[in-house]
Amino acid sequence: LMAAAPGYWVFLLGRIVTGMGVGVSFVAAPVYLSEVAPTDMRGKLNTVFDVAINGGILLGYVLGFLVQLTPNLEPHHKWRLMLILGIILPICVLWNLVHLPESPRWLVMKKQPAAAAQVLRQLSGADLDHRPHDSQGQACDDDNNRKILRMVSTMEEQLDEEDEHTSGPLSPLQALVQCKLSHGMRLAMALGFWQQITGTEAVLYYSADFLQHAGLESPTQRLLGNCFVGLCKLVPELIAMQYVDTLGRRPLMLTSAVLLVVSIFSLSGAFYLDWHPLVVVLFLCAIMASFSIGLGPFSFLIASESLGLSERATGMTLCAAINRCTSGTVALTAVSMYEALGSGGLFAVYGLTGFLSLPFYYYNVSETAGQSLEELSTRYSRARRREIELKPTDDGNRPAVQWYSDNDSVATKQVAPQATEGTMV
């Protein structure tokens, strides 16, 4: 639609359709990857999603540079050619989607444990319908089958535990309207917000303008600068991807947040002091690199890990919605803020927002590496059920602890007779 658009409205329609597809992928891909990945590889495999995004950004920069250098091509044909080239990869993705199995945890939620077990066998490479007939091979398959059945049983138990404290899955709109937001949902929404509020999307969208303001007048130089910025966004992410399951999420997130703030303030100073354009390029690359070692690839990973099975789809939808709305707000206000404050003032504001995010990451982002989704869900479920007061039971004989679960329903738990009203247990 966009490449063949005869006018503005058809082009806008194509952009809306594209945006809907991107929005669905921002929700579905992190959830799916988290639910099918082994515990010891979940961080690495989930990072593939963001690596693909940044690889596509870099590829777009390179194609834009090559198309710009193409001789004997009218300007109004160049942008159409770039959009046409963008069709190739989505077709490849669509072709491969038909071969993906369904998420085993989704199948458990839909009361299909047998199908979930079969998917787990497929993902583990053990198909019991074609197992070897020798005794050693039979024993290995039996061990693997017992392990898979235990995993399915654990998923069912976790879902039952979640159902005891919630009224069932809610749509994102219902969760917001009824204010039934769990700890995991609030954390996911906050991660989506803080990831984008520091202006990294503005760097991607307007890096050519920032480079021009820094003194790079040649379009070719600016396009090359864009490519270098895109490369510095991709390569650090590939490096961090190798350590997210060993070093853990929290150290990388905290390091990324601190380095991002330092890089943004440094870039602001470079604009204020009118430093050489090469220094500006280096600081732009530093912003992208610091973002890509933690906040970029792992925010959605931690968000998906912090949500229970029954709320994961809703929570990730809210996370993606907040993330994209914040990104759009940053992009729409960047030009106005630039005109009002200049490049130095713009990045000073972004640096300040980044500084304000540091307490959030320090106090709210806990380590999730090395734990299954069911273990994490149990941990978060216990954290969000808080003992707030003691009150007498109906018979007036024994006090009970009052619990508030995520849907604000109250359950009571009997405690020892020696506990007195007003005492926290």
Side-chain angles (χ1 to χ4, degrees), residues 1-12 79-80:
L1 282 174
M2 290 190 292
Y8 171 77
W9 293 109
V10 177
F11 184 89
L12 181 61
W79 65 267
R80 293 183 187 273

Side-chain angles (χ1 to χ4, degrees), residues 112-285:
Q112 302 178 42
Q118 182 58 38
V119 170
L120 288 171
R121 295 187 189 102
Q122 180 182 349
L123 293 173
S124 65
D127 188 346
L128 297 185
D129 294 332
H130 299 87
R131 60 190 177 186
H133 295 285
D134 61 285
S135 58
Q136 184 177 4
Q138 178 71 47
C140 292
D141 284 340
D142 288 344
D143 289 342
N144 188 67
N145 191 39
R146 284 193 292 270
K147 180 180 178 181
I148 288 172
L149 293 178
R150 284 197 301 269
M151 292 173 63
V152 174
S153 177
T154 302
M155 294 176 194
E156 291 179 310
E157 291 172 1
Q158 182 59 48
L159 185 61
D160 291 339
E161 181 180 342
E162 291 178 17
D163 289 342
E164 291 179 4
H165 303 286
T166 63
S167 57
L170 297 174
S171 70
L173 183 59
Q174 287 176 318
L176 288 174
V177 171
Q178 300 177 24
C179 296
K180 295 181 178 180
L181 299 175
S182 69
H183 168 79
M185 288 186 185
R186 292 192 297 271
L187 177 60
M189 293 170 65
L191 285 167
F193 171 79
W194 287 112
Q195 187 203 47
Q196 293 298 329
I197 197 62
T198 51
T200 53
E201 293 283 278
V203 174
L204 285 177
Y205 295 151
Y206 303 112
S207 58
D209 298 286
F210 296 137
L211 293 174
Q212 183 178 15
H213 178 72
L216 294 180
E217 298 295 337
S218 168
T220 302
Q221 290 179 329
R222 294 197 297 272
L223 286 172
L224 279 174
N226 278 345
C227 293
F228 195 57
V229 170
L231 187 64
C232 289
K233 194 174 191 297
L234 177 62
V235 173
E237 195 165 71
L238 291 172
I239 297 173
M241 178 181 176
Q242 307 303 315
Y243 297 100
V244 62
D245 289 310
T246 54
L247 293 179
R249 284 69 152 149
R250 179 178 165 84
L252 292 172
M253 288 286 286
L254 294 179
T255 302
S256 174
V258 172
L259 291 180
L260 180 62
V261 172
V262 173
S263 300
I264 293 176
F265 276 127
S266 299
L267 180 60
S268 175
F271 278 118
Y272 273 124
L273 300 175
D274 198 22
W275 286 351
H276 193 275
L278 180 59
V279 177
V280 173
V281 173
L282 292 177
F283 281 137
L284 284 172
C285 292

Side-chain angles (χ1 to χ4, degrees), residues 318-339:
L318 293 172
C319 174
I322 294 295
N323 184 271
R324 293 298 87 197
C325 287
T326 306
S327 172
T329 302
V330 168
L332 290 173
T333 58
V335 174
S336 300
M337 291 176 63
Y338 166 76
E339 293 175 348

Side-chain angles (χ1 to χ4, degrees), residues 293-305:
I293 63 172
L295 302 184
F298 306 141
S299 292
F300 274 67
L301 167 63
I302 295 174
S304 65
E305 291 176 329

